[in-house]
Amino acid sequence: ALLPGKHVYFLFFLVVSCPAGTYIGEEHECKPCEVKKYQDLENQEECKFCPIGSTGNVTGATSVEQCEGMQM
């Protein structure tokens, strides 16, 4: 048991591995890119914006081609 007033903080120097199409969220979990965003690299902290005028409506896009709604 922990003593009252004592807090143990664990620092995670990240073992999280997030694939393309996701980003590392605030809780160090992999979250899919939102609609009109994509990520073609692994282990990124944010997703890239699709080009203006994109018509794609998928989440977790892994390439800019998916921004246009075309699956690879």
Side-chain angles (χ1 to χ4, degrees):
L2 293 175
L3 298 172
K6 299 285 183 186
H7 297 281
V8 177
Y9 293 97
F10 292 98
L11 295 178
F12 293 102
F13 290 102
L14 271 307
V15 213
V16 178
S17 179
C18 294
T22 68
Y23 66 98
I24 302 171
E26 289 179 12
E27 304 295 320
H28 304 301
E29 80 283 25
C30 301
K31 302 180 78 168
C33 293
E34 294 98 343
V35 170
K36 300 214 185 293
K37 290 187 177 184
Y38 73 99
Q39 184 49 263
D40 51 354
L41 303 173
E42 297 180 356
N43 301 321
Q44 300 300 302
E45 293 180 359
E46 57 190 14
C47 294
K48 301 172 184 177
F49 284 99
C50 287
I52 292 171
S54 297
T55 57
N57 60 353
V58 296
T59 57
T62 57
S63 68
V64 71
E65 286 81 10
Q66 288 178 316
C67 290
E68 300 304 329
M70 299 178 297
Q71 295 296 327
M72 293 288 286

